Amino acid sequence: MTTDAVRRHDPARRTFASDNYAGVHPEILEAIALANEGHQVSYGDDVYTEALQGVFRRHFGEQAEAFPVFNGTAANVVSLRSMCAHWEAVICPETAHVNSDEGGAPEVVGGFKLLTVPTPDGKLTPDLLDRQAWGFGDVHRSQPRAVTISNATEVGTVYTPAEIRALCDHAHELGLVVHLDGSRLTNAAAALDVPLRALTTDAGVDVLSFGGTKIGLMLGEAVVVLNPSAARGLPYLRKTSMQLASKMRFVSVQFEALLAGDLWLRNARRANAMARRLAAAVRDLPGVTVPRPVEANGVFAILPADVADRLRKRFRFYNWDEQIGGGMIEVRWMCAFDTTEADVDAFAAALAEELRA
């Protein structure tokens, strides 16, 4: 078999911009090929999507029900739409992905308001939740209904099971339901060496957005309902949100390959380990500060802006905070499941060269 496609990139080039930049894990590609021969029923009535429910239930409990979607923004918006009416609101950290990186989709498409809270370490606590959990019954205020948190957070920190349990208990006492953005849940679980359910089902989370793309999938995330009473109409919301894949078997089989064995854990451990290696390699370089703990697969660093600009020509990465002042800038470096020791060492060496220059 031949193809007319042409490779248009250098496969040896690595970046530290996002774990989304990585390719597809070979075991995932094998699974897609396995599901490719012959015909299967479309729109999720295939044998792979049926089998996927059992895979998710082994990780999250017998009550769990998974709804594969195309991407993370959709997983978050569809999840929260199922939890909120249009007059209701979602409380979240200011740094939450739903607030800062989804182009207004939660409010434009979801139709609910976001109520944000400043969180220095990216984590919402019961006390911080109370800053927005008020005005119940006040017709002039969007009614708080749901809470959403991310684990790992957007600033690289990780909630423990106890922290999530305390937040969920407080939210539930207030009549709120809890959603968890788990685009990097595997990294958080690997960092803490706990099962996935310890950070979700067992901690009281009601609905989960489970991430696949950042940990080795070609495409696909999943809305996972952990508490059926907290979400309504998900099969219909997924369709009206244009997230019902016709050839869903190719999304579902990827999750089976990721979760049926330990691929998710192997991939997450490698990405986390490479982030720790990177932090150790750059932390003592003159002119570099690593101000945040490295708990998952992200490293945040403060360095001279001109150095960052030169280094970016060699290794792509993103700015995080350009308001540091004094010619300094905070950047974010992400490691992926395919980041190697050699990649990290080459990046650290390049940074040292640019600092000397």
Side-chain angles (χ1 to χ4, degrees):
M1 183 174 67
T2 61
T3 178
D4 292 328
V6 177
R7 174 173 280 165
R8 301 186 184 276
H9 76 290
D10 178 4
R13 181 171 183 178
R14 302 291 178 166
T15 76
F16 290 84
S18 173
D19 32 10
N20 280 324
Y21 279 39
V24 183
H25 192 280
E27 292 180 37
I28 301 296
L29 285 175
E30 289 179 12
I32 294 172
L34 183 71
N36 190 45
E37 298 296 332
H39 289 197
Q40 268 291 299
V41 184
S42 59
Y43 297 109
D45 290 326
D46 59 275
V47 295
Y48 295 96
T49 303
E50 180 183 4
L52 181 65
Q53 300 304 322
V55 173
F56 270 99
R57 285 168 183 156
R58 287 200 295 275
H59 283 283
F60 298 104
E62 287 302 313
Q63 80 294 336
E65 187 173 10
F67 298 85
V69 295
F70 288 114
N71 56 48
T73 297
N76 288 335
V77 172
V78 171
S79 292
L80 292 168
R81 280 188 72 192
S82 76
M83 304 167 81
C84 296
H86 286 310
W87 60 87
E88 292 176 325
V90 176
I91 302 171
C92 66
E94 281 186 350
T95 53
H97 200 272
V98 293
N99 181 55
S100 60
D101 285 292
E102 292 182 344
E107 294 178 318
V108 174
V109 178
F112 49 83
K113 183 172 179 58
L114 296 175
L115 301 173
T116 63
V117 180
T119 53
D121 62 354
K123 294 197 280 189
L124 202 59
T125 65
D127 288 343
L128 291 174
L129 176 62
D130 286 340
R131 294 189 182 185
Q132 289 286 13
W134 56 272
F136 298 100
D138 182 351
V139 71
H140 301 288
R141 176 171 166 79
S142 294
Q143 293 296 286
R145 171 57 183 162
V147 180
T148 183
I149 60 174
S150 304
N151 204 18
T153 72
E154 286 73 17
V155 297
T157 50
V158 170
Y159 286 90
T160 66
E163 288 172 327
I164 298 176
R165 168 53 73 183
L167 182 64
C168 288
D169 285 349
H170 187 59
H172 292 155
E173 288 171 0
L174 295 171
L176 305 176
V177 289
V178 180
H179 165 261
L180 190 144
D181 179 346
S183 65
R184 296 187 177 96
L185 178 63
T186 54
N187 298 96
L192 296 172
D193 195 24
V194 298
L196 294 169
R197 67 175 295 154
L199 297 170
T200 52
T201 310
D202 295 346
V205 171
D206 297 295
V207 180
L208 162 70
S209 297
F210 185 84
T213 310
K214 290 179 173 64
I215 202 66
L217 269 61
M218 178 182 292
L219 61 89
E221 319 286 306
V223 175
V224 187
V225 178
L226 306 175
N227 173 12
S229 67
R232 296 180 302 160
L234 259 166
Y236 311 104
L237 288 172
R238 179 172 58 174
K239 178 64 175 179
T240 59
S241 300
M242 299 168 286
Q243 291 295 315
L244 182 65
S246 58
K247 296 185 179 181
M248 195 182 293
R249 59 171 153 159
F250 298 111
V251 181
S252 297
V253 75
Q254 294 179 80
F255 279 111
E256 184 174 8
L258 182 72
L259 293 171
D262 67 347
L263 179 59
W264 69 272
L265 185 58
R266 286 185 277 128
N267 284 357
R269 281 176 172 169
R270 167 167 282 277
N272 292 357
M274 293 303 99
R276 293 193 300 270
R277 184 183 183 94
L278 176 57
V282 304
R283 182 175 280 116
D284 295 329
L285 292 176
V288 176
T289 303
V290 179
R292 305 175 190 271
V294 179
E295 297 181 354
N297 62 320
V299 178
F300 293 78
I302 297 173
L303 68 160
D306 59 333
V307 171
D309 289 341
R310 293 197 303 271
L311 181 61
R312 206 182 334 265
K313 295 177 181 178
R314 303 167 67 174
F315 293 89
R316 188 179 176 94
F317 57 87
Y318 293 116
N319 295 340
W320 183 258
D321 186 353
E322 299 180 3
Q323 308 302 317
I324 299 295
M328 306 296 282
I329 193 170
E330 185 174 15
V331 300
R332 186 193 73 168
W333 298 322
M334 297 301 299
C335 296
F337 74 87
D338 62 349
T339 304
T340 67
E341 290 87 350
D343 297 334
V344 171
D345 296 345
F347 181 81
L351 173 57
E353 289 177 9
E354 297 299 346
L355 287 165
R356 289 194 296 269

